[in-house]
Amino acid sequence: MATSVSTAAGAGAGTGKTWLGHPRGLFLLFFVEMWERFSFYGMRALLIFYLTQHFLFSDRDASYAYGAYMSLIYISPLMGGYLADRYLGQRKAVLFGGVVIAIGHIILGLESDDAGAMGLGLFWFGLATVITGTGFLKSSVSALVGQLYPRDDMRRDPAYTIFYMGINLGATIGPVICGYLGQTWGWHWGFGAASVGMIAGVIGFMLCKPLLQGRGEPPDPARLKERVGGVISREWLVYLSSLASIALCWFLIQSHAIVGWMLAAASVAVVLYILWEAFGRMERIGRDRMLAALFLLVINPIFWGLYEQTGSSLSLFTDRYTNRHILGFHVPASMFQSVNAAYILMFGPVIAGLWIWLAKRGWEPSTPAKFGIALALVGAGFLILVAGTGAPGTLTPVLFIFLLYLCHTLGELCLSPVGLSAMSKLAPSRMIGLMMGIWFLAMALGEYAAGLIAAATGGEGGAASRGDVLAVYSQIGWWSVGAGLVVMALAPLVKRLMHSDRFGEESA
């Protein structure tokens, strides 16, 4: 999805009043994204428990539904970003997306007392509404951050760092508040808190529109106002057709097999296209770089498939088989989903500083080596949990849950921040937007794989046993560590394919 802005827009970006040296619009976007992530992660913290404890899904069926939902969440920004770039502009897309997300969370809260077929249908409808709104907001709010600065402004990278902190602040607070309310006071309290967060973000965005300094407006306002067929404006046609897509999402969430086949077909098509570009249209350097990008893209869904046990099998294990008494307080299992984001807030600056320190001494690992480290760390997290679990019939000390999250977070910091950067460097300029989209498609594939792995822990007729879960965790842990070591061994070869010393040159 393209996020470029016109030269005219870029020339004046960054002017006006500032706060801490940045345009005040940055902190508006920080606020909006913080509340969006608050609502998203707050609701996600309750999702697997709501399916298994309220609707009485088996662990396997709940995991399938979770994987389908998370996959669609990562696919939807491709279409939302396209419609924003071509028709709406990012500001209208963020506002529309935020309103739709808030409505989705309200639906989830209102129907939560009905555990019958009608309640389940409304629950799917609420999730489908959240997916549609996320497609518009998630793709556009990040693009708006870049539009506040000229392309050569040195404040761009620090701006995204500040913005990223907003993401993780919301992701830290959301599961704590929504998880506690949902599992202690009642489901509708948790989902309701998620809707309040998103409504707060929407209201703040509407009231503080001038802080954006005219950024993110429609590329062709006159065309957007034109009536299509003399009946409806093009803008409202985009809105209504997007709302109609909720029905498709509603169907797909309940049809995880179809989602899987769609992702498989898209993945095969993407691999064939990359190979066609590499060997059919590019010279040696460009071809090498595309092969390196393909190598990294293959690792991406493997990592996220393991990492994203957080919201499914790991949450259920924490709920059933972990001693959650901390300082005399019995902590609801959903609240542990905030640990990852809290670790990112704590260790993100440390890891960033570590890479700089190593780079000055010529010791910084290459991008593919970091991907290998990430795989090894996510595997090590599962193995630590397995090793720390006591005899059958005893509860796992909560310390080992924290250690697992620590390993997984350090792995994420080795892979996630450098992944998109690598895609932007390895792809020729004419393909950067496409490669970004392919990266998110790979993440969607990983989310679907996460659902399959969680389903493999067992529980076809009910709850998964502790032994079955630990057996799967041990297996994927050792495989992940082994895969990480293989990737690290291949890293020097992949690094040569990247031609890092010639990144300033355009490859065709």
Side-chain angles (χ1 to χ4, degrees):
M1 53 192 161
T3 56
S4 59
V5 294
S6 66
T7 303
T15 59
K17 295 181 179 180
T18 62
W19 189 30
L20 300 179
H22 289 272
R24 292 188 296 173
L26 171 65
F27 299 95
L28 169 61
L29 299 176
F30 174 102
F31 174 83
V32 171
E33 183 67 356
M34 180 191 73
W35 283 117
E36 189 274 332
R37 292 290 89 181
F38 171 95
S39 65
F40 173 76
Y41 283 103
M43 184 277 290
R44 194 192 75 161
L46 295 172
L47 180 56
I48 199 73
F49 298 115
Y50 194 52
L51 289 171
T52 56
Q53 297 174 10
H54 182 70
F55 290 116
L56 303 180
F57 275 39
S58 68
D59 287 4
R60 180 167 296 184
D61 289 339
S63 297
Y64 283 145
Y66 175 86
Y69 167 72
M70 292 296 292
S71 298
L72 294 170
I73 279 286
Y74 278 94
I75 293 173
S76 61
L78 298 178
M79 183 55 67
Y82 171 79
L83 293 174
D85 285 348
R86 186 170 178 83
Y87 299 109
L88 297 178
Q90 283 70 34
R91 182 186 63 80
K92 288 180 178 289
V94 169
L95 182 58
F96 173 68
V99 171
V100 173
I101 291 172
I103 291 173
H105 284 299
I106 291 173
I107 294 172
L108 292 173
L110 289 177
E111 57 83 28
S112 62
D113 288 331
D114 182 0
M118 180 65 72
L120 183 59
L122 285 173
F123 176 71
W124 298 134
F125 180 62
L127 289 183
T129 305
V130 171
I131 291 169
T132 301
T134 301
F136 281 88
L137 188 146
K138 188 63 179 172
S139 59
S140 295
V141 69
S142 298
L144 270 173
V145 173
Q147 292 185 24
L148 292 173
Y149 302 86
R151 288 185 179 275
D152 59 349
D153 195 321
M154 295 179 62
R155 298 175 298 169
R156 286 175 68 98
D157 285 350
Y160 274 103
T161 299
I162 294 172
F163 182 72
Y164 189 64
M165 299 297 279
I167 292 175
N168 287 288
L169 181 60
T172 301
I173 300 173
V176 172
I177 295 178
C178 299
Y180 177 78
L181 292 176
Q183 289 199 286
T184 304
W185 288 27
W187 301 113
H188 58 285
W189 284 96
F191 290 122
S195 68
V196 169
M198 194 65 254
I199 291 170
V202 169
I203 292 175
F205 189 75
M206 292 175 60
L207 295 178
C208 300
K209 171 189 170 182
L211 297 181
L212 297 177
Q213 304 173 35
R215 309 293 172 240
E217 294 302 317
D220 189 346
R223 184 167 179 262
L224 191 62
K225 294 179 181 179
E226 289 178 356
R227 293 191 173 274
V228 179
V231 179
I232 187 173
S233 70
R234 185 169 278 104
E235 179 176 357
W236 276 98
L237 181 62
V238 170
Y239 293 148
L240 294 177
S241 60
S242 299
L243 292 175
S245 70
I246 293 175
L248 176 61
C249 294
W250 179 87
F251 169 75
L252 290 175
I253 295 173
Q254 304 172 72
S255 310
H256 76 275
I258 295 178
V259 175
W261 283 110
M262 288 172 52
L263 288 169
S267 300
V268 171
V270 162
V271 170
L272 293 176
Y273 176 75
I274 289 177
L275 292 175
W276 177 78
E277 282 280 357
F279 290 97
R281 302 186 63 186
M282 296 181 179
E283 300 298 332
R284 184 178 66 86
I285 292 179
R287 179 169 59 250
D288 287 350
R289 286 176 176 170
M290 290 303 289
L291 293 176
L294 183 59
F295 179 85
L296 300 179
L297 284 167
V298 169
I299 298 172
N300 191 28
I302 298 173
F303 175 83
W304 292 111
L306 300 172
Y307 178 94
E308 279 295 336
Q309 296 307 300
T310 298
S312 52
S313 68
L314 183 59
S315 287
L316 293 175
F317 183 89
T318 304
D319 183 61
R320 298 165 181 166
Y321 307 118
T322 301
N323 183 353
R324 292 178 280 110
H325 282 86
I326 301 177
L327 301 177
F329 179 66
H330 188 68
V331 182
S334 57
M335 293 177 65
F336 284 87
Q337 292 193 44
S338 69
V339 175
N340 165 248
Y343 276 156
I344 289 178
L345 290 173
M346 290 188 287
F347 292 105
V350 175
I351 296 298
L354 175 63
W355 297 144
I356 294 174
W357 185 85
L358 292 174
K360 290 180 178 178
R361 289 156 178 80
W363 299 340
E364 183 184 10
S366 64
T367 295
K370 290 177 182 178
F371 274 50
I373 295 170
L375 283 179
L377 283 169
V378 76
F382 288 116
L383 296 178
I384 288 173
L385 178 62
V386 172
T389 300
T394 62
L395 294 176
T396 300
V398 73
L399 169 65
F400 293 96
I401 296 294
F402 282 102
L403 290 175
L404 178 145
Y405 274 114
L406 178 60
C407 288
H408 285 195
T409 300
L410 295 176
E412 179 186 359
L413 291 171
C414 288
L415 182 141
S416 187
V418 301
L420 284 174
S421 175
M423 293 300 107
S424 67
K425 292 176 181 177
L426 295 172
S429 58
R430 61 184 175 83
M431 292 180 61
I432 289 178
L434 176 64
M435 293 302 290
M436 296 296 187
I438 292 173
W439 177 264
F440 284 107
L441 173 64
M443 292 184 68
L445 184 61
E447 296 289 348
Y448 184 80
L452 298 182
I453 293 172
T457 60
E460 184 175 4
S465 71
R466 188 180 80 153
D468 289 339
V469 175
L470 292 176
V472 172
Y473 282 2
S474 179
Q475 185 175 13
I476 63 177
W478 284 115
W479 275 105
S480 184
V481 170
L485 294 176
V486 170
V487 171
M488 284 186 270
L490 294 174
L493 171 61
V494 180
K495 182 181 179 181
R496 285 197 294 272
L497 291 176
M498 294 173 67
H499 297 280
S500 305
D501 57 328
R502 302 182 67 177
F503 271 144
E505 304 173 16
E506 173 65 31
S507 59

